[in-house]
């Protein structure tokens, strides 16, 4: 296929800024040189893992792997031992790419390591990879069991980014600012590979802050990407930060995704800045499906229309297609198109279950369509999937981790509405010894060390027994009233 990043081999783009992380940055010529050196080193090695800190090194590693035609697995550097152990065993990388001097924990430390030199010098190899070849494998939670590795082909990356360029009039003149993590699709594919495919640039904040957003938008950045929690924090900060309001008012595009942006936050930002945040809807397995277009109406509570090339339908429980565009008839969103993943790694059962016999991917998201075709997401099929801070988290993996604590006899986990996080993780625990229940911080730390800090319960409630039905199944709805 043609190059994913034409600007890397375009001499006229060489002096343009490509990446900036804090004080450190690379032009296109420097990025081509550093990625070329690393690509030469890893060519033909099979799959590689990338220790995905929010840094220049991660961006260079991703570009190098893609240039070498080597699929890569971004790892959350805050993942705990259990989660890392699973991902490494499942994806079997032959080596790990990491920043020089970065300490790698137990399970990753056993891998051969290649340091990423952002000042390396080498020529980019000819891009010999095919459209259907895997570009990256991103781990994503399900309702039960450990996360599954979604294999994302190169054509999905290219088509989703080009479809967004069409919807957003996204060009090489755009400068994106964000503070998203680089081990998920949002921050990595949209937030780093997106600007590079356009020949534009990205300024990463290292970590999200309203100050950082105000500074970068005030100094020439044109677009902001964030999860709703970030926009909520912006909405909260606006009354006291006039610079932030001014900076947002001057931006070309403010985009929210990964979870629903509450209408209240949308309206507060619009009132303070005169700018409407636009939403796009995607998923690790599908990359981007819909978006509000820049030339369309940014209607709060909607995720816009299907992107070019994406087929979208709503389907009822019995499999019949919802034809009505009445803003009321609810169905599951199913999608088809070149933006889709190929498979879950090593999980043919899960891959087969995710598609209908005629090749539509079942998203599990429930929605209605408005008369003009806009999609409005109204909920999710599985109550055991939690979206907290824009992260998808399976209740089952947290329950399993809690049950490994000696002080826990039974555990159940669910999400509850939270103004900041969208949903917060709540754990109901039956202690092994009612006289000495493990503390909430102890249990949060236990989950954070095994899985990841964002998977830790924010609230722990103690019960003598979990409510169960006649079949012995935990009744989660009853828990919320317990
Ligand atoms: C707190 N911390 C702990 C513990 N408690 N660490 C270890 N053990 C503990 N018990 C640490 C955390 O690691 C973190 O460190 C800091 O304390 C604050 O933690 P927390 O409160 O969890 O973070 P937050 O400030 O509330 O985070 C909000 C956030 C974050 C920044 C919005 O949720 C976030 O980055 N979300 C983005 C999710 C995302 O990108 N999703 C995309 C997937 P430190 O601060 O140092 O980290 S969805 C997707 O890709 C699809 C395709 C789509 O549609 O986009
Ligand atoms: P993930 O599996 O982490 O990639 O998250 C994908 C899920 O995030 C989708 O299935 C939706 O439930 C949710 N999501 C992404 N973008 C939006 C949005 N703009 N509005 C509502 N939900 C969203």
């Amino acid at each position: 296929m043609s190059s994913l990043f034409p600007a890397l081999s375009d001499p006229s783009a060489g002096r343009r800024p490509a990446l900036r992380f804090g004080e450190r940055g690379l032009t296109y010529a420097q990025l081509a040189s550093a990625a070329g050196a690393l690509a030469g080193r890893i060519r033909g090695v099979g799959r590689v893992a990338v220790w995905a800190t929010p840094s220049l090194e991660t961006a260079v590693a991703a570009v190098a792997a893609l240039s070498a035609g080597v699929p890569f697995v971004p790892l959350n550097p805050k993942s705990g031992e259990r989660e890392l152990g699973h991902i490494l065993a499942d994806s079997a990388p032959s080596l790990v790419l990491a920043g020089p001097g970065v300490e790698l924990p137990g399970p990753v430390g056993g891998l051969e390591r290649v340091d990423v030199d952002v000042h390396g010098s080498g020529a980019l190899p000819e891009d010999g990879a095919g459209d259907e070849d895997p570009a990256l494998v991103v781990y994503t939670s399900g309702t039960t069991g450990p996360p599954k590795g979604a294999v994302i082909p190169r054509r999905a990356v290219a088509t989703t980014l080009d479809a967004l360029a069409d919807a957003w009039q996204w060009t090489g003149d755009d400068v994106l600012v964000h503070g998203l993590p680089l081990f998920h699709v949002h921050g990595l594919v949209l937030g780093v590979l997106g600007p590079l495919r356009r020949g534009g640039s990205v300024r990463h904040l290292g970590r999200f802050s309203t100050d950082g957003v105000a500074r970068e938008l005030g100094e020439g950045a044109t677009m902001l990407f964030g999860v709703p929690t970030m926009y909520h924090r912006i909405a909260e900060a606006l009354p006291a930060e006039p610079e932030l309001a001014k900076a947002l008012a001057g931006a070309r595009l403010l985009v929210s995704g990964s979870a629903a942006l509450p209408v209240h936050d949308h309206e507060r930002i619009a009132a303070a800045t005169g700018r409407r945040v636009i939403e796009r809807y995607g998923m690790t397995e599908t990359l981007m499906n819909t978006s509000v277009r820049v030339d369309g109406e940014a209607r709060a509570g909607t995720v816009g229309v299907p992107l070019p090339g994406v087929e979208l339908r709503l389907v009822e429980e019995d499999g019949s297609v919802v034809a009505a565009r009445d803003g009321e008839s609810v169905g599951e969103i199913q999608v088809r198109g070149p933006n889709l993943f190929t498979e879950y790694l090593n999980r043919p059962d899960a891959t087969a279950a995710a598609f209908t016999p005629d090749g539509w991917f079942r998203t599990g998201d429930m929605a209605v369509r408005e008369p003009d075709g806009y999609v409005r997401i109204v909920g999710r099929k599985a109550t055991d999937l939690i979206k907290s801070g824009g992260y998808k988290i399976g209740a089952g993996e947290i329950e399993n981790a809690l049950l490994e604590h000696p002080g826990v006899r039974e555990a159940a986990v669910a999400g509850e509405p939270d103004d900041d996080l969208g949903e917060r993780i709540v754990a109901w625990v039956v202690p092994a010894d009612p006289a000495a229940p493990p503390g909430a911080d102890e249990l949060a730390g236990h989950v954070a060390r095994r899985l990841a800090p964002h998977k830790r319960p924010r609230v722990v409630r103690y019960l003598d027994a979990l409510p169960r039905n006649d079949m012995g199944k935990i009744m989660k709805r009853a828990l919320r009233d317990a």
Side-chain angles (χ1 to χ4, degrees):
M1 80 184 282
S2 56
S3 166
L4 283 172
F5 309 113
L8 282 178
S9 45
D10 173 2
S12 71
R15 295 163 72 100
R16 292 169 69 98
L19 302 165
R20 208 174 84 191
F21 286 76
E23 298 299 305
R24 306 165 72 216
L26 294 177
T27 62
Y28 274 91
Q30 290 166 330
L31 174 59
S33 177
L38 187 56
R41 168 74 179 77
I42 64 175
R43 221 159 176 211
V45 300
R47 243 186 319 261
V48 299
V50 173
W51 193 244
T53 53
S55 66
L56 210 47
E57 280 75 10
T58 299
V60 170
V63 173
L66 290 167
S67 303
V70 171
F72 69 100
V73 187
L75 300 176
N76 173 0
K78 291 213 170 110
S79 280
E81 291 220 352
R82 169 69 41 106
E83 188 162 285
L84 278 177
H86 162 69
I87 293 174
L88 294 178
D90 192 52
S91 61
S94 52
L95 50 83
V96 58
L97 306 179
V102 172
E103 206 176 309
L104 300 176
V108 192
L111 286 175
E112 183 189 342
R113 170 187 185 139
V114 173
D115 281 348
V116 179
D117 177 4
V118 301
H119 302 299
S121 158
L124 277 177
E126 285 294 311
D127 196 337
D131 285 11
E132 294 304 317
D133 288 342
L136 71 169
V137 182
V138 179
Y139 278 80
T140 180
S141 291
T143 49
T144 55
K148 302 185 288 280
V151 179
I152 300 172
R154 299 167 73 90
R155 72 67 197 136
V157 172
T159 54
T160 218
L161 294 176
D162 294 351
L164 292 177
D166 178 80
W168 298 343
Q169 297 169 12
W170 188 359
T171 72
D173 292 331
D174 279 304
V175 178
L176 172 67
V177 56
H178 74 86
L180 292 156
L182 300 190
F183 45 85
H184 277 306
V185 162
H186 194 169
L188 180 63
V189 177
L190 271 58
V192 174
L193 306 185
L196 297 179
R197 183 157 174 84
R198 300 273 73 81
S201 66
V202 54
R203 299 184 195 162
H204 195 280
L205 297 172
R207 65 185 302 154
F208 171 82
S209 71
T210 55
D211 287 355
V213 168
R215 185 186 63 243
E216 297 303 337
L217 287 177
E219 292 175 8
T222 63
M223 297 165 86
L224 172 66
F225 288 177
V227 293
T229 301
M230 295 171 181
Y231 284 102
H232 174 76
R233 293 179 185 180
I234 286 173
E236 292 279 289
L238 277 169
E241 294 181 26
E243 287 305 310
L244 180 61
K246 205 170 133 214
L248 291 167
R252 188 179 78 75
L253 208 58
L254 310 174
V255 187
S256 173
S258 302
L261 178 67
V263 172
H264 178 57
D265 289 329
H266 182 111
E267 297 298 354
R268 287 197 291 173
I269 293 171
T273 67
R275 302 304 311 273
R276 292 203 164 267
V277 178
I278 67 167
E279 283 196 75
R280 93 299 180 280
Y281 157 65
M283 209 172 163
T284 303
E285 291 90 332
T286 67
L287 305 186
M288 294 302 115
N289 295 312
T290 72
S291 183
V292 171
R293 300 179 59 90
V294 274
D295 52 4
E297 183 196 344
R299 205 177 306 148
T302 69
V303 295
V305 294
L307 288 163
V310 179
E311 290 179 88
L312 182 148
R313 67 182 191 183
L314 303 184
V315 177
E316 289 192 60
E317 198 65 52
D318 65 2
S320 57
V321 174
V322 178
R325 293 189 173 187
D326 55 7
E328 282 177 16
S329 305
V330 179
E332 180 191 10
I333 301 176
Q334 296 187 350
V335 289
R336 212 160 58 168
N339 52 315
L340 263 56
F341 75 138
T342 326
E343 58 169 348
Y344 294 115
L345 195 63
N346 306 320
R347 293 292 307 274
D349 56 327
T351 307
F355 288 89
T356 66
D358 50 346
W360 293 79
F361 176 74
R362 312 172 202 266
T363 65
D365 292 309
M366 306 301 290
V368 301
R369 291 197 81 173
E370 305 203 328
D372 58 3
Y374 268 45
V375 175
R376 188 151 52 82
I377 296 174
V378 295
R380 188 168 48 229
K381 245 179 155 172
T383 48
D384 276 349
L385 280 180
I386 301 164
K387 263 274 165 173
S388 189
Y391 287 113
K392 184 191 267 184
I393 302 158
E397 55 179 330
I398 308 174
E399 289 161 359
N400 290 339
L402 287 169
L403 287 170
E404 286 171 14
H405 190 284
V408 173
R409 184 145 59 90
E410 289 188 280
V413 165
E416 276 187 353
D418 186 280
D419 285 347
D420 181 46
L421 296 170
E423 288 182 285
R424 60 175 165 265
I425 299 170
V426 181
W428 286 264
V429 163
V430 178
D433 176 1
D441 287 348
E442 161 68 19
L443 293 176
H446 171 85
V447 173
R449 280 190 302 279
R450 271 182 171 57
L451 303 178
H454 67 263
K455 297 184 177 177
R456 72 191 189 277
R458 307 277 174 147
V459 178
V460 179
R461 303 204 176 108
Y462 300 91
L463 295 174
D464 297 332
L466 297 179
R468 292 182 186 271
N469 64 14
D470 293 344
M471 313 288 289
K473 192 171 178 302
I474 298 168
M475 296 188 296
K476 294 218 169 161
R477 285 188 206 289
L479 270 177
R480 297 205 172 93
D481 310 322

